[in-house]
Amino acid sequence: MAVPMPSKRRSLVVQTSMDAYTPPDTSSGSEDEGSVQGDSQGTPTSSQGSINMEHWISQAIHGSTTSTTSSSSTQSGGSGAAHRLADVMAQTHIENHSAPPDVTTYTSEHSIQVERPQGSTTSRTAPKYGNAELMETGDGVPVSSRVSAKIQQLVNTLKRPKRPPLREFFVDDFEELLEVQQPDPNQPKPEGAQMLAMRGEQLGVVTNWPPSLEAALQRWGTISPKAPCLTTMDTNGKPLYILTYGKLWTRSMKVAYNILHKLGTKQEPMVRPGDRVALVFPNNDPAAFMVAFYGCLLAEVVPVPIEVPLTRKDAGSQQIGFLLGSCGVTVALTSDACHKGLPKSPTGEIPQFKGWPKLLWFVTESKHLSKPPRDWFPHIKDANNDTAYIEYKTCKDGSVLGVTVTRIALLTHCQALTQACGYTEAETIVNVLDFKKDVGLWHGILTSVMNMMHVISIPYSLMKVNPLSWIQKVCQYKAKVACVKSRDMHWALVAHRDQRDVNLSSLRMLIVADGANPWSISSCDAFLNVFQSKGLRQEVICPCASSPEALTVAIRRPTDDSNQPPGRGVLSMHGLTYGVIRVDSEEKLSVLTVQDVGLVMPGAIMCSVKPDGIPQLCRTDEIGELCVCAVATGTSYYGLSGMTKNTFEVFPMMSSGAPISEYPFIRTGLLGFVGPGGLVFVVGKMDGLMVVSGRRHNADDIVATALAVEPMKFVYRGRIAVFSVTVLHDERIVIVAEQRPDSTEEDSFQWMSRVLQAIDSIHQVGVYCLALVPANTLPKTPLGGIHLSETKQLFLEGSLHPCNVLMCPHTCVTNLPKPRQKQPEIGPASVMVGNLVSGKRIAQASGRDLGQIEDNDQARKFLFLSEVLQWRAQTTPDHVLYTLLNCRGTIANSLTCVQLHKRAEKIAVMLMERGHLQDGDHVALVYPPGIDLIAAFYGCLYAGCVPITVRPPHPQNIATTLPTVKMIVEVSRSACLMTTQLICKLLRSREAAAAVDVRTWPLILDTDDLPKKRPAQIYKPSNPDTLAYLDFSVSTTGMLAGVKMSHAATSAFCRSIKLQCELYPSREVAICLDPYCGLGFVLWCLCSVYSGHQSILIPPSELETNPALWLLAVSQYKVRDTFCSYSVMELCTKGLGSQTESLKARGLDLSRVRTCVVVAEERPRIALTQSFSKLFKDLGLHPRAVSTSFGCRVNLAICLQPHRLWTLAEQGTSGPDPTTVYVDMRALRHDRVRLVERGSPHSLPLMESGKILPGVRIIIANPETKGPLGDSHLGEIWVHSAHNASGYFTIYGDESLQSDHFNSRLSFGDTQTIWARTGYLGFLRRTELTDANGERHDALYVVGALDEAMELRGMRYHPIDIETSVIRAHKSVTECAVFTWTNLLVVVVELDGSEQEALDLVPLVTNVVLEEHYLIVGVVVVVDIGVIPINSRGEKQRMHLRDGFLADQLDPIYVAYNM
């Protein structure tokens, strides 16, 4: 009876640190694990003591239902118990976290508390998405639940802390969010019997084998000193130097003597026996390396051969330095030539390489060494367990480990190779491999000396020039053995055409070092095919398998029997991805043909174990990691005991749980199986393993498939890297290849798409990203291969600089959360009831009540602003209301009450006499920010006209700015246009005529020369509800909307601001805003007249020439309150970032500022305000002075934060800034608000938008149903106040849609109040703070505009959140905007960098949006700086950008369409 794994759920009774993670039960595993029938003593099937919490968590996260390691459900008595058991497990809370409890016997030592929920019969609840855990979180509204469960929930809510504790978030809740890949029911499963360990033949110790390698050297050096040991080649293929055994012996002795006696002092030698020294020799100098290596063996010091560091920043060089440091290396042996070639500082010293310890460089050439005294002789012992040498190994992640090999292992390995390969004295062997490590070291430096063989060493530099050189040397020296890699065979094939006299009949063994690689078989076959006619016999080709840890794992023996064909396996690729061996037919494409790598080594035992979890023996038809038990292996990773234990001390287990041997095995890192006849087959490496949605793929197989797609035309054969990156909880495959310089973009794309198809059809796996880079740009390993981890690092940090990229997230990301289904059947009333039941407040709030505020506000006597001005002109004629500053910070102009009154009178006369306007006519005011604008506004009021302020056209950019002016003038039906003489000329200029039809301008009045007379009378409106002015602005979606402001609303607005900001005549306020619409206009033109305070006006455009103007003015005038826009704040933050010291010296002091309000119609830009506060803190700015306001079209200011006069009711004064909360972004997409701790994953910081103005009421309503919402819901902000606008003056376009913006009613609850809909989504939170007058403070949080929000996968996304993630993804992204096109998400990024970085951004952008927002990006557009349009308020115009994209007007650097 299979039981699904219990989904993660919270305990119903107890709350502790790790909310009850129930261990996954494995009764759905294979038959012999789950059901021990009738045997009810409750013994768990696996060693439970070793299981820890992390293990379960990782099981829970990776959704693995069949986990042998935490099998905690041995059934008691029949399958009927399974249901019961699952029930218990689902509700179990475990106190002891060390091991899963045995839940079969209820009397266990763990205290298990079980709460059976009502009517729970199945173990698994329906999956829950987002935050809709109705029964479990306090913020859900129970809909279909019973009352008893509601009460239970209420109890839980009261018990649960308000916010989930932080650590719970680090175990990502993604169980309930992401699709967990269900295992394929038809997937192949292993069916064979358990495998048996394979023994190699007995290692026959031959009588004349030496007792140690040094003894062998001594023997040959004295008996046959003239015998050649090593011949080196120059780059022309001529023999450069022959090292004889005599020379090797005497020189090694000399090196040994000098290491021990000539470094340091006699009392304090630098190197003692057992110390580690580095061997740094180039690949073309094997003789010097050999002398140094044997010198170290004779001196009993431990050589650590490494690569020559060419530059200070070589790929992987830093990690090698780390290895040297951890091995305690202080001396590096090197050759003369190499020492001269190392980079030097100006003083001639070798600099310390990055990450390297300080080294003494010691040159081993004979001429630099002193002769050992006659009586000195190295101490030659039999091989023992001391370390002989350390071989470095680079891991998958780029880290470098040192594998220690003991002297006895070294000797035994040489003996085993001698026996397996049948080496005899004085044979000649050609070696093309790297002699410093691996097969090249074992055959070409070590085993060769044991058998007095002659090695012909071919340097890599010669192979590059002449790929045939090794074949020529085999012929020339009649070599018996050659050690090569498959690429050497491949290049020889490509180059062999012009070769006549090749004869390979002398070869008895061609060792293929990478014979375990899937593509080596094709090289071997092709090579045999061509060279069979040149004397090469089939049985000569001997692939071998090796690893740094286990040394030679297996090698094919050279036979004389040419009739016995080598072993072949044609395996189903599909089976392999599940780790199962299924033989297939060769006709199919989706097969892997593997060749055997011979038999197990003499004296060794081999088995294969499951690659992950406990080392359990595999079945015969199962792929596992090969493990070897032998003397001839490495013994540890130097200095890393934990990793050593996992690799070098493995005890494979039989299915009974007993180990197969008392001796430890070593993991080889190779994946494979032992086939019929004891032949070993390798199908891949653990390092190249990529597990994509539960199936295993091998990087090498993918490379082989990519290369099979006519590669030679477009990419370089050896220059392909395949690795996986983790995105959204699964591995994704990335392929990077070097493109040939002559292939066109078209060719490359064709090749790329063919590669994708090939990999899809052969491996049934999607490639996430395929990138082509220019030739020779991938980081190389010293022998010319690709440095994989470095390439991956470059890819992830966005510095790979590809020239072509193809991303396919749509096809390969299959674990996205299910799209959200909205429940239509819940009515608003049931939501209300649900809120009440769950103890939720209805989200509503209000500012102070205007009626109850007693203040001596003289201006209240007047209904109209024009009357207030006349009254001030009479009572305080010389009081200065306005001061305008120029770009140098000096006063350009100022206005007293009486001056303003007199100018307004003259303008009124002008309107009546020259303009012949009637009262109620509309007048467009086209002025730069300044005094003229204010005078013109009051002139209109005095004449009874309705003013409309319009931003003047930009003289340098008439073509785009003038049409907007024309549109506003036309839409507002202006009868007259007032402006300055300068703009007057501009409107009629030739440039203007090119942009608009200048003949259709209304009457244009120039106010620079005004009539001298006063009007007969000043107009007084008959009714306060008549129109005072029109406020026009363009929304972020590109809509031009004008709203009507009545006289009553205008006066109420001014009074509300006066009360909130405590403005009165003796105060000064600095304003750096555009005075054309919204709160900016009101503060610039209206407030001073109403409240009598002095406004210091700073036009934002002046900051472009002098960024410090605003702050210097604030400091100079000792201003306490100032208003600015985000654009101004950004200009200061970017422009003055490096100048704070010089500003301080100029006396800039911001310590008097108590409020700096950013005027905005958007979500507060918290990052900008914080960096501004931080930057100017040193200049005295109080960290809590900066705040924001919020207004919109229907109400120009809803919130405005005055100076913060609160006391903290509960938190001490050290509490966090009260205005910021962190909400769960995933819940927000479902329109729910869930507070989380700062720093938890998916948290989004939101700052409150200021304090609600007096006389303003706010409620949060559902934009669809129009019902009131609870505190924990995101909804539309509705506002009711005396200063609401009275309606749109015409939205350009459709008016019927907008009719309810100004007069909406709730669908139930308080259905009488008339509300205006702001079109913004937000939520309210009652805080723990109190105002000065003791009221609890309600904070309003604005999340984003309803128009801008994108509905994707049934969830609501705010562009700014995605944009913030994208901007963070790479240092070169300066700005970003997103929008949808059809149902694709389009991301436009501005690149600040060279164009070659453009393609780096595509994968990074795709990754970050997937990881953080669970969305697949459809199109990535990379553009130049400044392409994303920004309006005057500093808001992005995403719709304009979208239109530009669709009309193909963006001139992008690169557009990537993700597949």
Side-chain angles (χ1 to χ4, degrees):
M1 171 80 204
V3 184
M5 187 176 99
S7 60
K8 188 206 98 175
R9 44 170 87 180
R10 309 226 163 87
S11 153
L12 290 174
V13 187
V14 203
Q15 271 315 105
T16 68
S17 62
M18 280 280 327
D19 283 351
Y21 262 84
T22 333
D25 77 304
T26 53
S27 42
S28 55
S30 52
E31 296 71 43
D32 58 349
E33 283 167 19
S35 46
V36 183
Q37 297 285 335
D39 161 31
S40 62
Q41 63 241 23
T43 48
T45 55
S46 67
S47 56
Q48 297 206 338
S50 65
I51 301 159
N52 54 12
M53 201 59 194
E54 283 84 341
H55 188 81
W56 298 356
I57 293 171
S58 66
Q59 291 293 338
I61 286 182
H62 294 114
S64 132
T65 48
T66 53
S67 138
T68 48
T69 46
S70 52
S71 142
S72 55
S73 64
T74 320
Q75 263 171 232
S76 53
S79 63
H83 260 325
R84 201 163 63 243
L85 174 65
D87 239 13
V88 173
M89 287 186 66
Q91 305 298 340
T92 297
H93 181 82
I94 299 153
E95 297 292 7
N96 178 340
H97 290 310
S98 62
D102 169 19
V103 287
T104 52
T105 51
Y106 289 118
T107 57
S108 82
E109 68 277 10
H110 304 290
S111 86
I112 296 182
Q113 303 195 335
V114 180
E115 172 87 9
R116 295 292 293 273
Q118 308 280 316
S120 161
T121 49
T122 55
S123 68
R124 183 158 190 167
T125 55
K128 298 177 289 286
Y129 306 104
N131 216 39
E133 308 172 17
L134 298 183
M135 296 299 296
E136 294 163 3
T137 56
D139 50 6
V141 180
V143 177
S144 54
S145 48
R146 289 189 188 70
V147 175
S148 57
K150 281 181 184 165
I151 293 167
Q152 173 68 49
Q153 182 191 352
L154 204 60
V155 173
N156 289 351
T157 311
L158 297 173
K159 248 190 304 195
R160 183 174 297 121
K162 269 203 173 142
R163 303 182 186 186
L166 187 55
R167 56 193 158 224
E168 183 186 318
F169 276 92
F170 287 115
V171 182
D172 200 347
D173 299 0
F174 96 104
E175 256 275 307
E176 63 207 35
L177 278 169
L178 295 186
E179 286 280 344
V180 177
Q181 290 274 298
Q182 294 308 319
D184 174 6
N186 308 322
Q187 74 179 50
K189 293 194 172 61
E191 292 151 9
Q194 186 172 308
M195 77 162 296
L196 301 169
M198 279 304 303
R199 279 181 186 279
E201 73 228 51
Q202 188 92 34
L203 182 61
V205 178
V206 183
T207 44
N208 68 345
W209 273 355
S212 68
L213 210 53
E214 308 90 288
L217 173 59
Q218 182 189 13
R219 179 200 294 177
W220 308 128
T222 46
I223 301 176
S224 27
K226 296 255 185 314
C229 166
L230 177 77
T231 301
T232 63
M233 298 290 157
D234 64 13
T235 43
N236 301 322
K238 300 275 184 297
L240 189 65
Y241 181 75
I242 297 174
L243 180 69
T244 61
Y245 276 94
K247 282 183 193 159
L248 176 60
W249 166 239
T250 52
R251 287 183 189 175
S252 308
M253 282 216 313
K254 205 171 182 183
V255 168
Y257 172 75
N258 278 269
I259 290 177
L260 291 176
H261 299 285
K262 294 295 174 190
L263 292 174
T265 61
K266 211 164 197 167
Q267 288 72 34
E268 267 304 310
M270 265 186 86
V271 180
R272 298 165 189 244
D275 285 354
R276 273 82 43 213
V277 297
L279 264 54
V280 185
F281 289 91
N283 286 313
N284 56 4
D285 197 353
F289 173 82
M290 203 165 185
V291 167
F293 191 91
Y294 280 100
C296 290
L297 289 185
L298 291 172
E300 296 182 54
V301 301
V302 179
V304 185
I306 56 166
E307 308 305 336
V308 179
L310 301 174
T311 64
R312 297 194 57 180
K313 295 198 292 286
D314 241 3
S317 156
Q318 210 171 332
Q319 278 78 10
I320 288 190
F322 180 72
L323 170 72
L324 296 181
S326 58
C327 288
V329 172
T330 54
V331 173
L333 309 187
T334 187
S335 69
D336 212 3
C338 180
H339 188 260
K340 288 195 176 101
L342 287 171
K344 305 262 191 317
S345 68
T347 56
E349 309 229 323
I350 293 171
Q352 199 170 335
F353 295 101
K354 196 173 172 201
W356 284 43
K358 194 147 181 50
L359 295 178
L360 172 76
W361 293 85
F362 182 72
V363 176
T364 57
E365 246 82 352
S366 266
K367 61 183 184 210
H368 298 290
L369 304 179
S370 6
K371 220 171 170 184
R374 279 263 168 83
D375 55 351
W376 185 84
F377 205 69
H379 183 46
I380 292 179
K381 300 193 278 198
D382 288 359
N384 57 10
N385 274 324
D386 295 345
T387 303
Y389 68 96
I390 292 178
E391 178 170 317
Y392 81 87
K393 162 206 172 158
T394 306
C395 304
K396 188 175 184 175
D397 61 357
S399 56
V400 172
L401 308 176
V403 177
T404 59
V405 180
T406 62
R407 290 171 175 255
I408 188 77
L410 169 66
L411 182 70
T412 313
H413 189 221
C414 290
Q415 292 170 348
L417 284 177
T418 303
Q419 181 171 328
C421 303
Y423 284 143
T424 52
E425 278 179 29
E427 272 192 313
T428 304
I429 170 171
V430 170
N431 180 29
V432 190
L433 307 173
D434 180 4
F435 52 77
K436 295 191 289 299
K437 53 188 289 215
D438 218 61
V439 182
L441 172 71
W442 306 331
H443 290 262
I445 301 283
L446 306 177
T447 310
S448 59
V449 168
M450 181 173 133
N451 295 298
M452 202 189 84
M453 290 155 63
H454 178 195
V455 179
I456 314 293
S457 192
I458 311 278
Y460 177 62
S461 50
L462 172 57
M463 283 295 290
K464 281 207 313 215
V465 185
N466 173 12
L468 272 179
S469 51
W470 70 271
I471 291 184
Q472 290 160 355
K473 295 299 163 234
V474 168
C475 305
Q476 191 181 332
Y477 288 92
K478 304 266 181 292
K480 292 284 176 72
V481 181
C483 294
V484 297
K485 277 191 152 172
S486 46
R487 69 157 184 210
D488 304 321
M489 299 161 78
H490 174 78
W491 290 120
L493 283 177
V494 176
H496 90 282
R497 296 200 175 82
D498 42 355
Q499 243 4 67
R500 302 272 174 282
D501 46 353
V502 170
N503 180 2
L504 296 181
S505 56
S506 66
L507 271 185
R508 64 176 189 81
M509 191 172 190
L510 178 59
I511 298 172
V512 185
D514 56 350
N517 227 334
W519 64 64
S520 68
I521 185 165
S522 59
S523 294
C524 292
D525 288 353
F527 189 77
L528 178 66
N529 205 7
V530 169
F531 287 101
Q532 210 158 7
S533 57
K534 312 269 168 95
L536 180 72
R537 305 188 303 285
Q538 176 180 7
E539 63 277 8
V540 165
I541 296 178
C542 297
C544 76
S546 65
S547 80
E549 292 83 359
L551 310 186
T552 308
V553 176
I555 187 164
R556 200 186 286 174
R557 314 293 194 260
T559 59
D560 298 329
D561 176 14
S562 57
N563 303 328
Q564 184 197 349
R568 283 282 160 106
V570 180
L571 308 179
S572 146
M573 203 73 96
H574 182 70
L576 287 178
T577 61
Y578 292 105
V580 178
I581 301 160
R582 292 286 177 268
V583 176
D584 218 319
S585 66
E586 217 156 332
E587 289 78 70
K588 284 198 188 156
L589 271 174
S590 56
V591 293
L592 177 69
T593 308
V594 285
Q595 59 183 351
D596 72 283
V597 286
L599 302 165
V600 183
M601 292 300 286
I605 305 175
M606 181 189 283
C607 66
S608 75
V609 301
K610 302 207 164 148
D612 27 41
I614 52 172
Q616 202 166 6
L617 274 187
C618 290
R619 297 167 178 248
T620 48
D621 61 345
E622 194 173 3
I623 299 288
E625 183 175 7
L626 300 178
C627 291
V628 173
C629 175
V631 178
T633 59
T635 46
S636 70
Y637 291 130
Y638 186 88
L640 298 167
S641 52
M643 288 180 75
T644 296
K645 201 170 173 54
N646 291 341
T647 304
F648 294 91
E649 297 166 31
V650 176
F651 292 92
M653 314 279 264
M654 297 189 280
S655 55
S656 63
I660 61 169
S661 148
E662 64 203 289
Y663 297 110
F665 278 68
I666 287 171
R667 290 181 183 270
T668 61
L670 301 174
L671 290 168
F673 60 97
V674 180
L679 292 178
V680 179
F681 290 88
V682 176
V683 297
K685 293 192 184 72
M686 285 294 286
D687 268 358
L689 200 59
M690 302 180 291
V691 182
V692 182
S693 49
R695 289 172 56 213
R696 308 200 294 228
H697 301 276
N698 216 292
D700 289 333
D701 295 337
I702 306 257
V703 171
T705 304
L707 287 178
V709 182
E710 331 166 28
M712 308 313 284
K713 287 187 198 158
F714 310 116
V715 298
Y716 291 103
R717 179 181 172 88
R719 316 283 304 148
I720 269 193
V722 171
F723 51 86
S724 66
V725 294
T726 304
V727 182
L728 202 64
H729 308 287
D730 201 356
E731 289 185 46
R732 316 285 176 194
I733 296 177
V734 177
I735 302 179
V736 182
E738 283 189 1
Q739 177 178 321
R740 286 177 176 273
D742 49 358
S743 62
T744 65
E745 189 140 334
E746 188 63 27
D747 293 340
S748 305
F749 261 99
Q750 280 205 319
W751 179 78
M752 287 160 93
S753 44
R754 285 212 290 277
V755 167
L756 293 177
Q757 286 165 3
I759 290 172
D760 187 51
S761 60
I762 293 174
H763 302 271
Q764 277 105 48
V765 67
V767 174
Y768 180 66
C769 176
L770 179 47
L772 295 182
V773 298
N776 272 325
T777 55
L778 288 181
K780 290 186 171 68
T781 57
L783 280 182
I786 286 182
H787 198 293
L788 201 64
S789 58
E790 205 87 356
T791 303
K792 176 172 173 174
Q793 192 53 42
L794 291 176
F795 174 80
L796 287 174
E797 67 192 27
S799 33
L800 194 60
H801 307 330
C803 46
N804 270 315
V805 164
L806 195 50
M807 300 275 307
C808 311
H810 290 281
T811 46
C812 65
V813 177
T814 53
N815 61 338
L816 283 173
K818 286 207 175 81
R820 171 187 178 199
Q821 307 289 318
K822 294 221 173 107
Q823 271 86 23
E825 70 280 357
I826 313 163
S830 51
V831 173
M832 181 89 153
V833 173
N835 276 326
L836 297 173
V837 169
S838 61
K840 286 287 159 11
R841 237 166 50 89
I842 290 297
Q844 53 189 351
S846 53
R848 290 182 294 165
D849 186 349
L850 280 172
Q852 291 172 356
I853 302 172
E854 283 307 315
D855 65 318
N856 51 1
D857 185 353
Q858 296 296 310
R860 277 179 72 191
K861 301 195 297 262
F862 307 103
L863 288 173
F864 306 106
L865 219 48
S866 51
E867 294 179 316
V868 178
L869 178 56
Q870 291 167 53
W871 166 68
R872 288 204 186 280
Q874 281 163 356
T875 53
T876 54
D878 299 327
H879 174 64
V880 177
L881 286 179
Y882 295 104
T883 306
L884 178 73
L885 301 185
N886 61 18
C887 65
R888 290 185 301 285
T890 50
I891 296 178
N893 211 333
S894 66
L895 272 182
T896 60
C897 299
V898 72
Q899 284 171 332
L900 176 56
H901 169 66
K902 287 190 168 158
R903 285 211 47 191
E905 284 188 321
K906 290 175 183 171
I907 289 170
V909 170
M910 186 176 186
L911 283 169
M912 293 176 206
E913 295 191 351
R914 290 197 205 156
H916 308 297
L917 297 185
Q918 309 297 311
D919 53 343
D921 276 349
H922 296 184
V923 178
L925 311 182
V926 185
Y927 288 94
I931 300 283
D932 291 345
L933 176 70
I934 302 169
F937 179 85
Y938 287 100
C940 287
L941 294 190
Y942 278 11
C945 297
V946 177
I948 298 109
T949 47
V950 184
R951 177 190 306 277
H954 196 291
Q956 271 79 52
N957 194 356
I958 286 185
T960 52
T961 53
L962 191 62
T964 311
V965 176
K966 188 88 165 59
M967 186 155 90
I968 296 177
V969 170
E970 285 172 0
V971 172
S972 62
R973 309 199 190 110
S974 297
C976 165
L977 188 154
M978 279 207 290
T979 183
T980 62
Q981 206 161 2
L982 206 64
I983 296 174
C984 208
K985 287 183 180 145
L986 191 66
L987 293 180
R988 295 201 170 100
S989 66
R990 191 178 293 142
E991 292 90 343
V996 297
D997 182 358
V998 291
R999 291 168 309 188
T1000 56
W1001 285 119
L1003 170 70
I1004 297 179
L1005 293 179
D1006 151 19
T1007 52
D1008 284 357
D1009 65 27
L1010 289 174
K1012 298 285 182 281
K1013 52 195 246 188
R1014 294 176 52 188
Q1017 66 184 65
I1018 291 176
Y1019 175 80
K1020 184 178 175 185
S1022 52
N1023 174 358
D1025 291 332
T1026 55
L1027 201 52
Y1029 71 97
L1030 290 176
D1031 184 306
F1032 269 88
S1033 97
V1034 178
S1035 73
T1036 48
T1037 50
M1039 299 289 277
L1040 175 67
V1043 292
K1044 299 186 277 201
M1045 288 296 287
S1046 68
H1047 287 283
T1050 308
S1051 301
F1053 198 172
C1054 290
R1055 174 150 193 256
S1056 192
I1057 291 174
K1058 172 185 193 277
L1059 293 169
Q1060 188 85 321
C1061 301
E1062 297 178 3
L1063 301 174
Y1064 32 82
S1066 59
R1067 297 281 299 282
E1068 289 181 341
V1069 175
I1071 296 166
C1072 189
L1073 290 166
D1074 274 329
Y1076 299 108
C1077 61
L1079 184 55
F1081 164 73
V1082 174
L1083 289 166
W1084 188 281
C1085 289
L1086 311 183
C1087 288
S1088 274
V1089 169
Y1090 187 89
S1091 312
H1093 61 275
Q1094 181 181 346
S1095 291
I1096 295 160
L1097 307 175
I1098 304 151
S1101 52
E1102 303 286 9
L1103 263 68
E1104 287 167 18
T1105 48
N1106 178 7
L1109 174 65
W1110 167 50
L1111 294 177
L1112 284 167
V1114 166
S1115 164
Q1116 181 190 338
Y1117 288 93
K1118 304 185 172 51
V1119 167
R1120 289 171 64 186
D1121 301 278
T1122 179
F1123 294 87
C1124 71
S1125 64
Y1126 280 124
S1127 328
V1128 166
M1129 193 168 265
E1130 195 162 23
L1131 208 69
C1132 291
T1133 313
K1134 285 183 177 165
L1136 305 176
S1138 54
Q1139 298 176 28
T1140 45
E1141 285 309 311
S1142 64
L1143 290 171
K1144 205 173 195 168
R1146 284 169 68 183
L1148 181 65
D1149 173 21
L1150 302 175
S1151 58
R1152 290 188 190 78
V1153 176
R1154 49 172 208 174
T1155 50
C1156 168
V1157 178
V1158 190
V1159 172
E1161 300 189 7
E1162 57 180 302
R1163 177 200 300 181
R1165 300 188 198 174
I1166 192 163
L1168 179 57
T1169 55
Q1170 280 174 350
S1171 48
F1172 179 81
S1173 301
K1174 209 176 280 176
L1175 186 59
F1176 296 106
K1177 190 176 82 189
D1178 295 348
L1179 298 175
L1181 183 67
H1182 191 279
R1184 287 175 53 185
V1186 179
S1187 64
T1188 64
S1189 73
F1190 171 65
C1192 59
R1193 293 285 69 207
V1194 299
N1195 184 318
L1196 304 180
I1198 295 167
C1199 304
L1200 185 94
Q1201 190 78 350
H1203 49 288
R1204 320 243 170 110
L1205 293 172
W1206 12 76
T1207 54
L1208 286 143
E1210 289 175 22
Q1211 300 161 322
T1213 44
S1214 63
D1217 191 354
T1219 58
T1220 303
V1221 294
Y1222 292 83
V1223 296
D1224 185 339
M1225 213 161 17
R1226 293 166 306 179
L1228 212 54
R1229 291 173 206 148
H1230 293 259
D1231 294 340
R1232 321 182 73 101
V1233 179
R1234 178 185 187 195
L1235 293 194
V1236 294
E1237 294 297 338
R1238 174 182 180 174
S1240 47
H1242 302 283
S1243 62
L1244 171 71
L1246 291 175
M1247 185 161 122
E1248 75 167 291
S1249 284
K1251 195 177 172 212
I1252 298 166
L1253 281 166
V1256 173
R1257 281 172 60 199
I1258 289 177
I1259 192 157
I1260 305 293
N1262 182 320
E1264 280 90 35
T1265 64
K1266 300 190 181 179
L1269 289 173
D1271 247 352
S1272 60
H1273 284 264
L1274 181 69
E1276 188 180 8
I1277 303 165
W1278 287 16
V1279 58
H1280 171 83
S1281 98
H1283 64 259
N1284 274 9
S1286 43
Y1288 285 122
F1289 180 73
T1290 54
I1291 263 211
Y1292 208 45
D1294 197 346
E1295 278 143 48
S1296 57
L1297 285 173
Q1298 274 60 35
S1299 58
D1300 71 336
H1301 281 200
F1302 292 90
N1303 44 17
S1304 282
R1305 295 171 193 258
L1306 290 172
S1307 50
F1308 65 94
D1310 164 16
T1311 51
Q1312 295 312 303
T1313 312
I1314 294 197
W1315 301 88
R1317 301 178 56 172
T1318 61
Y1320 282 82
L1321 293 167
F1323 60 93
L1324 283 163
R1325 279 278 155 182
R1326 170 145 281 189
T1327 62
E1328 304 302 328
L1329 304 164
T1330 51
D1331 296 348
N1333 53 4
E1335 293 277 312
R1336 280 285 284 282
H1337 169 65
D1338 288 306
L1340 172 69
Y1341 294 90
V1342 176
V1343 176
L1346 202 53
D1347 287 353
E1348 296 259 287
M1350 302 181 295
E1351 185 104 351
L1352 290 162
R1353 301 179 59 80
M1355 289 173 275
R1356 207 191 297 274
Y1357 286 89
H1358 297 277
I1360 185 72
D1361 296 325
I1362 298 174
E1363 289 159 1
T1364 307
S1365 299
V1366 170
I1367 289 171
R1368 258 201 338 261
H1370 192 277
K1371 60 181 187 304
S1372 301
V1373 178
T1374 53
E1375 189 52 275
C1376 164
V1378 302
F1379 51 82
T1380 52
W1381 166 50
T1382 59
N1383 54 354
L1384 291 177
L1385 177 66
V1386 181
V1387 177
V1388 180
V1389 289
E1390 287 185 2
L1391 170 72
D1392 175 17
S1394 62
E1395 295 201 350
Q1396 62 184 37
E1397 287 181 34
L1399 282 87
D1400 283 315
L1401 304 179
V1402 179
L1404 295 184
V1405 167
T1406 309
N1407 290 0
V1408 76
V1409 176
L1410 256 175
E1411 276 288 342
E1412 297 185 11
H1413 304 278
Y1414 306 148
L1415 287 178
I1416 292 178
V1417 176
V1419 188
V1420 180
V1421 187
V1422 184
V1423 296
D1424 296 309
I1425 295 181
V1427 169
I1428 295 173
I1430 305 278
N1431 70 10
S1432 55
R1433 292 192 296 277
E1435 298 161 337
K1436 293 175 205 167
Q1437 308 263 204
R1438 299 182 183 89
M1439 290 304 120
H1440 276 313
L1441 183 68
R1442 182 174 187 270
D1443 297 341
F1445 169 72
L1446 296 179
D1448 202 16
Q1449 293 162 348
L1450 299 186
D1451 184 25
I1453 299 172
Y1454 192 79
V1455 182
Y1457 293 93
N1458 287 348
M1459 291 168 64

